[in-house]
């Protein structure tokens, strides 16, 4: 049996977990999330804990067992505390600004790059070079952060681009030149 999948999830106070058919609804102080269960995976709520089970032993079902447990754990943490991802822009003239649900980047292209934020993700910009994303869905917040990073991936030669705060880039030496 999956080591991750068989580990029960403790439900903290202030969080409500409801199982209805093939949908698990999780409600907390920051919002509400739902997870649709795959065929062959079951969820039960007993004694303030969520227990994920499966009714077979195929490799696909074992993978879904662990995935379901990890996703439900992340959703419980999300509705309780939320998730945050921070990115920094490094480069001369690189800046970002937020207008409603649209982020606009000036990162060395001949035109500004705009990204629309999905519902459930909020963005703030500090000092025009630090973008903070927050939301209750970990999967959505990290996916948006990856999209933003892809606008101008960090360059290992010049150390310019958009990177996560705390991400360490190993600087590579360029060509040695003619002798």
């Amino acid at each position: 049996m999956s080591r991750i999948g068989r580990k029960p999830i403790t439900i903290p106070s202030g969080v409500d977990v409801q199982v209805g058919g093939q949908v698990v609804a999780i409600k907390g102080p920051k919002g509400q999330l739902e997870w649709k269960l795959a065929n062959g995976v079951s969820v039960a709520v007993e004694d303030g804990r969520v227990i994920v089970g499966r009714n077979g032993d195929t490799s696909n079902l074992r993978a879904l067992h662990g995935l379901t447990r990890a996703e439900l754990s992340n959703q419980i943490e999300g509705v309780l505390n939320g998730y945050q991802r921070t990115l920094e822009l490094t480069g001369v003239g690189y800046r970002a600004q937020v207008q409603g649900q649209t982020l606009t980047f000036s990162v060395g292209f001949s035109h500004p790059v705009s990204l629309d934020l999905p519902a459930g993700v909020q963005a703030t910009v500090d000092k025009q070079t630090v973008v903070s994303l927050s939301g209750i869905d970990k999967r959505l917040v990290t996916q948006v952060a990856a999209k933003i990073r892809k606008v101008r991936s960090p360059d290992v030669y010049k150390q310019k681009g958009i990177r996560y705060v705390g991400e360490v880039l190993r600087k590579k030496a360029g060509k040695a030149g003619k002798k």
Side-chain angles (χ1 to χ4, degrees):
M1 196 168 194
S2 169
R3 286 186 233 163
I4 293 172
R6 68 178 164 199
K7 191 174 176 185
I9 307 166
T10 305
I11 302 173
S13 62
V15 176
D16 183 40
V17 178
Q18 298 291 325
V19 180
Q22 288 294 99
V23 177
V24 179
I26 301 168
K27 190 184 291 186
K30 293 210 177 241
Q32 180 175 348
L33 292 171
E34 289 184 351
W35 180 258
K36 188 174 183 301
L37 296 174
N39 292 332
V41 177
S42 62
V43 173
V45 179
E46 301 171 0
D47 301 328
R49 298 185 313 170
V50 176
I51 299 167
V52 181
R54 65 174 191 254
N55 62 3
D57 203 35
T58 64
S59 63
N60 187 38
L61 202 53
R62 287 194 309 261
L64 288 172
H65 185 214
L67 172 76
T68 302
R69 192 263 178 215
E71 284 292 336
L72 292 177
S73 177
N74 287 341
Q75 288 186 350
I76 288 172
E77 179 70 23
V79 297
L80 188 64
N81 300 322
Y83 287 100
Q84 185 167 0
R85 201 73 162 133
T86 308
L87 298 106
E88 60 184 350
L89 284 70
T90 307
V92 177
Y94 286 17
R95 62 183 176 273
Q97 62 184 15
V98 64
Q99 296 168 341
Q101 283 294 95
T102 303
L103 270 170
T104 306
F105 297 96
S106 175
V107 287
F109 297 124
S110 62
H111 59 283
V113 179
S114 295
L115 276 169
D116 292 326
L117 295 173
V121 176
Q122 298 80 33
T124 58
V125 177
D126 300 328
K127 299 183 276 185
Q128 294 186 342
T129 59
V130 178
V131 179
S132 296
L133 301 171
S134 60
I136 59 172
D137 191 355
K138 182 178 185 178
R139 180 180 281 212
L140 190 60
V141 171
T142 54
Q143 182 64 45
V144 171
K147 267 187 186 173
I148 291 172
R149 186 179 184 272
K150 201 172 183 179
V151 167
R152 179 68 107 177
S153 297
D155 182 20
V156 293
Y157 297 103
K158 297 180 182 176
Q159 301 286 304
K160 294 175 12 175
I162 301 173
R163 66 176 117 183
Y164 301 118
V165 169
E167 181 180 4
V168 177
L169 292 178
R170 293 181 60 200
K171 185 169 174 106
K172 291 177 88 173
K175 290 185 177 179
K178 291 185 178 180
K179 291 187 180 182

